[in-house]
Amino acid sequence: MKVTMTVNGKSRSGEVEGRTLLVNFLRETLNLTGTHVGCDTSQCGACVVHVNGQAVKSCTMLAAEADGADVKTVEGMANADGSLSVIQQAFQDHHGLQCGFCTPGMVMSAAALLKENPKPTEAEVRHYLEGNICRCTGYHNIVKAVMAASGQDVSNIAAE
Amino acid sequence: MYNFDFVKPKTLAEATAAMAGEEAQALGGGQTLIPSLKARLASPTTLVSLSGIKEMVGVCKGDDGSLCIGGATPHAVVAAEAAKTYPALAKLAGGIGDPAVRNRGTVGGSLANNDPAACYPSAALASATVVTNRRRIAADDYFQGMFTTALEAGEIVTEVRFPVPEKAAYIKFEQPASRFALTGVFVAKFKDGVRVAVTGASEEGVFRWAEAEAALSKNFSAAALAGLAASADGMITDLHGTAAYRAHLVGVLTRRAVEAAA
């Protein structure tokens, strides 16, 4: 069947099977390989994208379910001039990634968090990111980056 | 995952018609069903998405004061919209899985699946009536064992009605990897008695702890539970905990739930 959705502001269409996962459509049909598949069992969060403004695990949503939806992936996070968004820049500034595999999901989850809670506490950040696993265990700096992206002072946070 | 036909009806009538097909399976948020399909634990011919049926999404107040939640309402919506009217239920919904799972997973899907460690069945057994496209089912009749419910082929959970208790709380002891309840207890105090529903513990799925209900109905305080212990017979033993451990948790969490109930 044919699906059409807005991806990072552009209308995109493609043929999918009933079983095609949203993440496969993004990666394999649209070649948007920024969204990663880590566990493929809904645990790790590397595949988090926004669907109609909400964070979802794209490995656990059918592409057909996203027909007509507004989808945002990590490729759509940079500013219009190509410079990094505030959240992405904070990840770079605070070394919020080691191997980088979980980063797309972390960035998308962080963006969803800051949209609903612009000044989260450290505990709220850690709680919100519980569906995103960093197997380098680089959580301290990820949390620090999210706190910094929210405009808060991070000089006393984590990464002892 | 084996392939299937995907249909997304816009009305309940269309969904009911689509579900009449052989090997048709309803799809809520898919947070359990899609992993099950990947593992080839299920292989429906047709998947009937319920997410496009507007009449099945949302939280409202019924004529009798009950909270009525559409079967296709995601956990995140319940967590936000029930926060004032039924805080214990909102807290339960807001503690399921993680934020991305809560944006997709639905109350109807959770109750239709009846995972023995899911959170929602405890709240439902503590008070709710399950409404389907055919009938109303009291929670006591609805849950019939692990992954088993009174739902018949083609039946869809369209709404869940929760009478709002005077006091209630849900306390779960999380299995840290899955965030399902290693054991969870929902305590609800109504004018005419107390219900104590336990999830995650029994091999038969969610159940009511009758002795605790009797004691708490006389005296709604943690002290009323002194000396009461849940039996380990029929409790789940797995790598996360033994039957005896879960039986102990039932007592501990029930006391904590009574103390937290407001």
Side-chain angles (χ1 to χ4, degrees), chain B residues 28-144:
Chain B
Q31 302 303 287
T32 298
L33 182 55
I34 292 177
S36 302
L37 292 168
K38 288 181 185 177
R40 296 184 171 178
L41 294 170
S43 52
T45 307
T46 306
L47 215 52
V48 182
S49 167
L50 305 176
S51 65
I53 304 170
K54 289 206 174 71
E55 61 196 285
M56 273 179 57
V57 181
V59 179
C60 67
K61 202 142 196 203
D63 298 337
D64 58 355
S66 300
L67 201 63
C68 306
I69 303 180
T73 310
H75 309 323
V77 173
V78 176
E81 295 193 9
K84 286 207 177 109
T85 42
Y86 194 164
L89 184 69
K91 186 162 171 276
L92 175 148
I96 296 171
D98 59 57
V101 166
R102 292 195 288 274
N103 283 335
R104 295 289 304 162
T106 67
V107 61
S110 174
L111 294 184
N113 187 49
N114 191 21
D115 188 298
C119 297
Y120 258 125
S122 67
L125 188 59
S127 66
T129 300
V130 177
V131 183
T132 77
N133 50 343
R134 293 181 197 158
R135 56 190 168 138
R136 291 174 176 227
I137 312 169
D140 281 321
D141 302 322
Y142 179 83
F143 296 103
Q144 302 190 346

Side-chain angles (χ1 to χ4, degrees), chain B residues 239-258:
Chain B
L239 80 166
H240 304 297
T242 61
Y245 183 68
R246 281 184 164 86
H248 180 70
L249 275 181
V250 171
V252 171
L253 299 179
T254 303
R255 270 180 273 281
R256 288 185 191 169
V258 170

Side-chain angles (χ1 to χ4, degrees), chain A residues 1 3-5 16-18 20-22 51-52 60-71, chain B residues 4 6-9 26-31 34 47-53 104 106:
Chain A
M1 77 188 88
V3 295
T4 302
M5 59 191 85
V16 298
E17 290 186 305
T20 306
L21 298 168
L22 177 58
V51 175
N52 295 329
T60 310
M61 179 172 182
L62 299 172
E65 283 277 50
D67 188 30
D70 185 27
V71 178
Chain B
F4 45 78
F6 175 87
V7 293
K8 191 169 179 176
L27 170 67
Q31 302 303 287
I34 292 177
L47 215 52
V48 182
S49 167
L50 305 176
S51 65
I53 304 170
R104 295 289 304 162
T106 67

Side-chain angles (χ1 to χ4, degrees), chain A residues 8 21-27 32-51 54-62 66 71-75 100-110 112 129 131-134, chain B residues 30-31 34-35 38 98-101 103-104:
Chain A
N8 300 329
L21 298 168
L22 177 58
V23 71
N24 296 133
F25 179 72
L26 294 170
R27 288 178 56 85
L32 293 171
T33 53
T35 302
H36 290 169
V37 179
C39 66
D40 202 26
T41 56
S42 328
Q43 318 263 338
C44 82
C47 67
V48 169
V49 301
H50 295 181
V51 175
Q54 291 188 313
V56 304
K57 292 184 170 175
S58 62
C59 84
T60 310
M61 179 172 182
L62 299 172
V71 178
K72 190 168 189 178
T73 71
V74 72
E75 286 92 343
F101 193 88
C102 71
T103 309
M106 289 288 180
V107 167
M108 300 313 287
S109 283
L129 293 178
N132 291 81
I133 294 173
C134 166
Chain B
Q31 302 303 287
I34 292 177
K38 288 181 185 177
D98 59 57
V101 166
N103 283 335
R104 295 289 304 162

